[in-house]
Amino acid sequence: SAVGRGPEVPFRSEAYRISAVARGKELRLTLSALDPAAGPPAQDLVFRFGMSGSFRLCPAAELPRHAHLRFLTRESPPRALCFVDPRRFGSWRLGDAWQPERGPCVVSEYQAFRENVLKNLDDRAFDKPICEVLLNQKYFNGIGNYLRAEILYRLKIPPFEKARTVLEALKEQEQERRKKDPSLTLSKKVKLRRENADLLELCHTVPMEVIMAEKQLLDPEHTGDYSTFKNWLQCYLVPGMSSLRDRSGRTIWFQLGTSSRAGQRPRKTPRKKSPQLKADPEAPSPKVTPRASKQRRRAAANPPKSEEEEEEQEEQADRPRKGRARGRRAVTAAPASPEEPPSVRRSRRTSARRGRGEPGSA
């Protein structure tokens, strides 16, 4: 579309096939001509969906709003497969390369994902709370804000527990499983793991539950109906649950009683009211200073953020940050010169007085 922010796709063909492969939070489309000899070479596109990106198949004459990329069919009347993104947080880029900073997918590359986490526990990234590390796409590619809340809730893990403390225990559990009975059949091992799933296993099985549940939403009759997904949620945005902001500014939902973060109070917990002194009717009314009036106007102009605005901020925080270091260097002030000791300043004043013929001070 004319307002789309993505690059132009240099692919034109009368008859072509579209295939797709997903990895974590990315999706790769491959456009290939049905007749490779007569058509153009295959073209790959890698998509990120942001908060609101999706694909929709509709009549070409009835394109939805914010359809930023369209693939047209040859039938009559033609239809269009559209990449729809109302908030424009999604994107696509040319080529078949995944983002290099993303690790193995929690769904399609589970064993590689598990090994990547357990062998890198010495990384400083695991010094952070587990709720923050679960959003690190270098190790948990595919886990988002609502998934981390659901995973931690099921295991009753305090969201601000140190990540390394939580994950180091998994190595010991894995060794104990092997020592118990090496003669167990594969079906029994699978059953035991389902009954005693650990954090990394839930990072695989919980997203799979969502995929299976959302297959119902692919039916055109259920377009825009997210009741199945809402009924599936046990913690995220569920009434009665508590929420806090982590150090990245993102909201983590959890059950009250599982948070071990010192000095923090859940957002849902009402604060105790401070004692109010009775006003003296004869006392003069307080003066409103210019500074206080400015603060009031600023507060009125910036109302508290809604949950939707918080989610938008979270999605922007997930994007790669470019050029910030350069900006910081540009505005860094030059180091101040060291201050002279008092004895040097006194000697200079005395010399100046003597030069003007004034008596020096004893």
Side-chain angles (χ1 to χ4, degrees), residues 47-195:
F47 287 80
R48 285 190 62 202
F49 292 88
M51 288 182 60
S52 59
S54 65
F55 279 96
R56 191 180 308 174
L57 185 63
C58 60
E62 302 175 8
L63 292 177
R65 295 185 61 189
H66 309 290
H68 300 304
L69 193 62
R70 305 102 181 233
F71 304 95
L72 300 178
T73 66
R74 296 184 64 187
E75 59 190 338
S76 182
R79 290 186 294 171
L81 179 65
C82 306
F83 177 64
V84 182
D85 185 18
R87 297 188 182 181
R88 302 188 188 184
F89 288 161
S91 62
W92 70 85
R93 62 184 184 275
L94 305 179
D96 61 350
W98 307 110
Q99 283 186 330
E101 66 270 19
R102 292 183 179 270
C105 176
V106 297
V107 173
S108 60
E109 302 168 301
Y110 170 67
Q111 288 300 332
F113 149 71
R114 187 180 183 92
E115 293 173 4
N116 184 46
V117 172
L118 294 180
K119 75 179 182 181
N120 290 295
L121 290 181
D122 293 334
D123 192 332
R124 293 178 59 185
F126 294 96
D127 293 338
K128 297 180 179 181
I130 185 63
C131 67
E132 296 181 14
V133 175
L134 283 175
L135 297 183
N136 187 337
Q137 300 300 297
K138 180 179 179 181
Y139 296 108
F140 294 88
N141 185 14
I143 300 299
N145 200 15
Y146 80 90
L147 284 174
R148 69 167 177 175
E150 297 298 320
I151 292 168
L152 295 176
Y153 169 78
R154 295 190 184 193
L155 295 175
K156 307 303 179 187
I157 296 177
F160 293 97
E161 187 76 24
K162 188 176 181 180
R164 187 177 292 107
T165 303
V166 175
L167 294 169
E168 278 184 341
L170 302 187
K171 287 185 176 180
E172 301 175 0
Q173 294 177 5
E174 200 160 329
Q175 293 174 356
E176 291 178 359
R177 284 178 180 176
R178 295 174 181 175
K179 292 179 181 179
K180 282 184 178 179
D181 191 355
S183 62
L184 287 175
T185 62
L186 179 61
S187 60
K188 290 184 178 180
K189 289 181 179 179
V190 172
K191 183 179 179 181
L192 286 174
R193 288 203 169 188
R194 286 179 178 175
E195 294 174 352

Side-chain angles (χ1 to χ4, degrees), residues 216-226:
Q216 301 180 23
L217 302 179
L218 299 179
D219 188 342
E221 297 181 358
H222 294 85
T223 301
D225 179 14
Y226 295 96

Side-chain angles (χ1 to χ4, degrees), residues 270-331:
R271 297 184 179 182
K272 294 182 178 180
K273 295 183 178 180
S274 57
Q276 300 291 334
L277 299 176
K278 294 184 178 181
D280 186 356
E282 299 181 357
S285 58
K287 295 182 179 180
V288 179
T289 63
R291 183 177 180 181
S293 60
K294 287 183 180 179
Q295 291 177 348
R296 292 179 181 178
R297 289 197 299 268
R298 190 180 299 114
N302 300 310
K305 291 185 177 181
S306 63
E307 187 68 30
E308 181 176 299
E309 291 172 333
E310 291 176 0
E311 294 292 340
E312 291 183 5
Q313 182 181 1
E314 292 169 7
E315 180 60 32
Q316 291 174 344
D318 191 35
R319 296 179 176 178
R321 300 181 180 182
K322 298 180 180 179
R324 296 191 64 183
R326 183 182 303 172
R328 285 195 295 269
R329 287 196 297 271
V331 299

